[in-house]
Amino acid sequence: MSVSPLAGRIRFVLVEPAHPGNIGATARAMKTMGLRDLRVVKPWVKDYRDDPEAIAFATSSVDVLRASRTHDSLMQALEGVKFAWAMTGYDREFGAPIEPVRQVALKARDYLKQEAGDLAFVFGCERTGLSNEDLERCQGCAAIPADPDCTSLNLSQSAQVMAYELHMALKDHKGLYDWQQRFNGEPLAGPVAVQGFLDHFEEAMIACGILDPEEPKLFMHRLHRLFSRTQLTQPEVDLLRGVCSQLIRPKKDRAGTKCR
């Protein structure tokens, strides 16, 4: 699974961040979700790109940190943007109505597919958030649904949640990464192979004394039901039958014979 090319039209804007570590952590949050365009407006630490804490928090995303662009105002950072969402955790008298981030991510995906231009997500200072003036410069407001008793998230944590929602919305399909599907190529075991395993398993359970053939009760019926909920592959059946063979007759006793 590759990152959607639409992700290249999304920028994250940090307004007056106080801690360089949060800038570095935001760079990491973005890169892990396929985003690269980081803008920083009037950072408290001017040389944040070389700050040890920022570099440490960015880890493998130092390239995004180094490539980040600084601006003297939010309007400069929004140049070329067609739609901007302000990230805010509470309702205010000013600004657009607040929408949950998942809904916003889907809207962003549809916009990128239908319209030209970039999108921006604007995050405020750690201590005070976005000013009302900056909030009004954004056409939308996005919030992360949180426990009403504790609604405040760290700046980089908020960036991670928003980046994740965007990543999920932009994915070409909802499956896993290629390396997470490494067993998908194995052939499924057919009904004959599965039944053969279950017969073998029954024999093994009798051999080790777990199943009484005179009073089987519902033992094998439950096993049938259990494995009917799975999709055993042929290698898995072969593995399980090897276990059954060992239970019935240990390998050292089977040496030189052809019995299963």
Side-chain angles (χ1 to χ4, degrees):
M1 183 191 67
S2 59
V3 173
S4 170
L6 297 177
R9 293 167 52 198
I10 297 175
R11 69 181 70 168
F12 276 22
V13 181
L14 309 185
V15 179
E16 300 185 28
H19 303 292
N22 275 331
I23 305 177
T26 297
R28 182 179 184 181
M30 293 174 63
K31 188 174 180 180
T32 57
M33 297 298 137
L35 306 175
R36 298 291 189 276
D37 191 353
L38 174 60
R39 311 296 181 97
V40 184
V41 177
K42 296 166 61 175
W44 287 25
V45 178
K46 303 299 182 185
D47 57 347
Y48 66 86
R49 296 180 186 86
D50 298 316
D51 186 271
E53 189 178 73
I55 293 172
F57 280 33
T59 60
S60 60
S61 307
V62 173
D63 56 330
V64 176
L65 175 67
R66 299 281 193 201
S68 64
R69 298 169 60 181
T70 56
H71 301 275
D72 293 328
S73 69
L74 176 58
M75 294 311 296
Q76 288 182 7
L78 295 180
E79 186 175 351
V81 168
K82 295 296 184 181
F83 199 99
W85 274 280
M87 298 295 299
T88 182
Y90 57 94
D91 201 5
R92 309 194 206 188
E93 181 182 353
F94 306 93
I98 293 180
E99 299 175 279
V101 289
R102 185 158 298 178
Q103 180 178 317
V104 165
L106 295 175
K107 284 188 174 183
R109 176 201 62 192
D110 294 342
Y111 182 95
L112 290 169
K113 288 182 176 180
Q114 298 168 10
E115 305 289 343
D118 291 354
L119 301 180
F121 291 85
V122 182
F123 301 79
C125 175
E126 295 94 330
R127 297 184 182 180
T128 59
L130 288 171
S131 68
N132 289 332
E133 183 180 44
D134 286 339
L135 197 71
E136 290 180 322
R137 288 189 167 91
C138 300
Q139 299 104 307
C141 287
I144 299 168
D147 190 321
D149 292 333
C150 185
T151 59
S152 178
L153 274 77
N154 169 269
L155 170 59
S156 61
Q157 292 172 337
S158 299
Q160 183 69 82
V161 173
M162 190 68 249
Y164 170 78
E165 292 293 348
L166 289 165
H167 178 62
M168 295 300 293
L170 292 176
K171 278 186 4 175
D172 293 331
H173 60 84
K174 299 303 180 184
L176 300 175
Y177 291 95
D178 293 340
W179 60 266
Q180 292 170 303
Q181 302 179 34
R182 58 190 179 278
F183 298 120
N184 284 5
E186 293 184 349
L188 290 176
V192 174
V194 173
Q195 185 58 51
F197 153 65
L198 289 168
D199 292 341
H200 201 177
F201 187 84
E202 182 177 13
E203 184 181 349
M205 293 299 97
I206 293 172
C208 67
I210 292 177
L211 175 62
D212 181 355
E214 300 300 324
E215 294 186 48
K217 299 182 180 179
L218 297 176
F219 185 87
M220 288 309 299
H221 292 290
R222 294 186 186 281
L223 262 295
H224 275 269
R225 187 171 65 183
L226 169 64
F227 284 103
S228 71
R229 296 199 297 269
T230 69
Q231 289 187 317
L232 288 172
T233 65
Q234 189 58 52
E236 290 168 343
V237 165
D238 295 340
L239 182 151
L240 291 169
R241 294 199 65 162
V243 174
C244 292
S245 296
Q246 184 70 8
L247 288 171
I248 295 169
R249 189 177 179 188
K251 186 177 181 179
K252 60 184 177 64
D253 296 338
R254 289 186 282 121
T257 68
K258 293 185 178 180
C259 65
R260 67 181 187 180

